[in-house]
Amino acid sequence: MPYIQDSFRRQGLRFTPQRYAVLDYLRKHPCHPTAEEVYKAVNRRDPRASLATVYKSLHALARAGLIREVNLAGNATRFESVTGPHHHFLCERCGRLEDVPWFDVPGLAKKARAAPQAVRTWELILRGLCKSCQSRTRGRANWEN
């Protein structure tokens, strides 16, 4: 806990039990949960944590750089404690979201710096079928033949 308190202090964020519980959950569960999933898990341990408090905690932690929001068009925002650069893979069948190691896209950094917008960061969202869904699809195709 002292490490987490130091992280809060360095970022100028007030340490509260609810913020600690949210950050602790995200660090122990790297599954990219939604705010509602975080709320359910945190609320099981501390029934005093309301959904609004969890949302406020998530947004405060994200603003402080202690967690990341992963915004997926058409899907609920997910949260994670891995803040270093990386991309994501989203399974279009089961909704599983996985981290993909960072790789540079040739020319993207150069184009981003030359863009009229002030690009601060970028990441790719790769979409397709995860290994588990692929194997289920193959198994069904073999069964049907």
Side-chain angles (χ1 to χ4, degrees):
M1 180 148 43
Y3 166 75
I4 290 178
Q5 286 178 319
D6 290 343
S7 297
F8 277 65
R9 196 173 306 114
R10 279 193 304 276
Q11 298 304 324
L13 191 61
R14 191 168 59 91
F15 181 87
T16 66
Q18 293 81 9
R19 288 177 179 169
Y20 171 79
V22 167
L23 183 58
D24 185 54
Y25 177 78
L26 288 173
R27 287 187 172 173
K28 290 178 179 173
H29 299 88
C31 58
H32 303 86
T34 64
E36 287 78 15
E37 291 167 338
V38 173
Y39 164 69
K40 288 176 185 174
V42 167
N43 193 264
R44 275 192 291 271
R45 288 186 357 196
D46 181 3
R48 298 170 298 165
S50 69
L51 180 59
T53 299
V54 169
Y55 267 103
K56 288 177 187 176
S57 296
L58 286 165
H59 293 299
L61 291 166
R63 278 192 310 273
L66 296 173
I67 65 169
R68 271 177 74 176
E69 291 184 26
V70 181
N71 297 306
L72 305 166
N75 294 311
T77 299
R78 311 271 191 97
F79 297 88
E80 66 179 337
S81 63
V82 178
T83 58
H86 62 281
H87 303 292
H88 289 97
F89 174 83
L90 176 65
C91 180
E92 294 175 319
R93 178 166 296 147
C94 70
R96 181 184 176 131
L97 188 64
E98 300 173 4
D99 290 342
V100 175
W102 179 261
F103 57 88
D104 286 325
V105 177
L108 184 59
K110 185 177 177 182
K111 288 177 184 177
R113 283 191 292 273
Q117 306 86 356
V119 176
R120 186 177 46 82
T121 185
W122 64 85
E123 71 177 89
L124 295 176
I125 305 292
L126 307 167
R127 296 171 189 269
L129 294 179
C130 68
K131 288 179 183 177
S132 177
C133 287
Q134 285 178 51
S135 65
R136 278 184 274 168
T137 300
R138 265 187 240 117
R140 252 196 318 263
N142 291 340
W143 175 257
E144 293 169 357
N145 290 335

